[in-house]
Amino acid sequence: MRLKVVLLGEGRVGKTSILFRYIRNEFQEKQQSTLQASYMDKTVEVGGTKASLSVWDTAGQERFHALGPIYYRDADGALLVYDITDGDSFVKVKKWTKELRKIVGPDISICIAGNKIDLERNRQVNEKEVLEYAKSVGASHFYTSAKQNLGLEECFKELAGKMIKR
Ligand code: GTP
């Protein structure tokens, strides 16, 4: 089974870093902004079912927003990423959720990742608000750190499981 996942979120929240850490176990402090979308594959096994995930990284800067549909139109699932130290980046997650549900439909599996959890001391996004929001839209929520390799396996496993069950 081949499943397509699209990474969406504001610029600099860590989408490329999540992809590199999850697939290659690499991390760069000076990761450059993405200008052109690309993808990487990884095989996952959930509950005895094997799936090949194509994980698409997209450009988060606002000027690229209109390209979103090209990548998410035929996606099975989306990982919506925000940075826990940046309140605006969570507002953007809400926008993506609305857009996905409206254009792709209620069927697309969504997980939300609160990235940069290694910077907990600088947290701006209220935990309770996020968890309530995720629940209200039927999305799972995970805290992740691409830097310290936290939460990523769990997050992609959950998303793969949701997509397989669809
Ligand atoms: P765009 O390509 O602009 O959409 O950005 P992006 O969301 O792909 O973010 P990117 O992966 O380029 O990371 C932005 C910056 O955040 C880089 O300097 C990364 O090193 C840093 N970064 C990414 N993930 C983490 C993390 O978990 N913790 C910390 N402390 N820094 C991180």
Side-chain angles (χ1 to χ4, degrees), residues 9-19 27-35 57-61 64 81 83 115-119 144-149:
E10 190 162 282
R12 312 307 287 160
V13 295
K15 298 177 295 297
T16 304
S17 303
I18 284 176
L19 184 66
F27 178 79
Q28 290 182 353
E29 291 284 351
K30 292 187 179 149
Q31 184 62 53
Q32 306 260 316
S33 277
T34 301
L35 303 177
D57 183 22
T58 63
Q61 291 169 40
F64 295 118
V81 185
D83 171 349
N115 193 41
K116 307 195 187 181
I117 193 67
D118 55 290
L119 301 178
T144 61
S145 168
K147 184 169 179 171
Q148 296 186 342
N149 198 10

Side-chain angles (χ1 to χ4, degrees), residues 96-160:
W96 280 121
T97 307
K98 266 199 197 133
E99 188 174 327
L100 288 171
R101 294 277 193 233
K102 188 171 152 203
I103 296 176
V104 188
D107 232 25
I108 184 164
S109 305
I110 298 180
C111 277
I112 299 172
N115 193 41
K116 307 195 187 181
I117 193 67
D118 55 290
L119 301 178
E120 172 76 56
R121 63 189 181 282
N122 300 330
R123 175 195 281 271
Q124 264 194 18
V125 179
N126 181 274
E127 171 150 41
K128 192 163 165 265
E129 186 191 337
V130 173
L131 297 181
E132 280 174 7
Y133 172 75
K135 200 170 164 200
S136 74
V137 294
S140 316
H141 177 275
F142 288 85
Y143 285 117
T144 61
S145 168
K147 184 169 179 171
Q148 296 186 342
N149 198 10
L150 301 171
L152 295 174
E153 289 291 333
E154 294 84 344
C155 183
F156 279 99
K157 219 169 195 168
E158 166 78 13
L159 187 54

Side-chain angles (χ1 to χ4, degrees), residues 14-44:
K15 298 177 295 297
T16 304
S17 303
I18 284 176
L19 184 66
F20 274 55
R21 174 63 86 188
Y22 177 60
I23 299 206
R24 295 198 191 151
N25 202 13
E26 288 170 6
F27 178 79
Q28 290 182 353
E29 291 284 351
K30 292 187 179 149
Q31 184 62 53
Q32 306 260 316
S33 277
T34 301
L35 303 177
Q36 225 176 359
S38 62
Y39 73 96
M40 291 189 210
D41 287 331
K42 178 155 170 152
T43 305
V44 289

Side-chain angles (χ1 to χ4, degrees), residues 28 50 63 95 128:
Q28 290 182 353
K50 262 197 182 167
R63 64 195 164 107
K95 277 196 193 157
K128 192 163 165 265

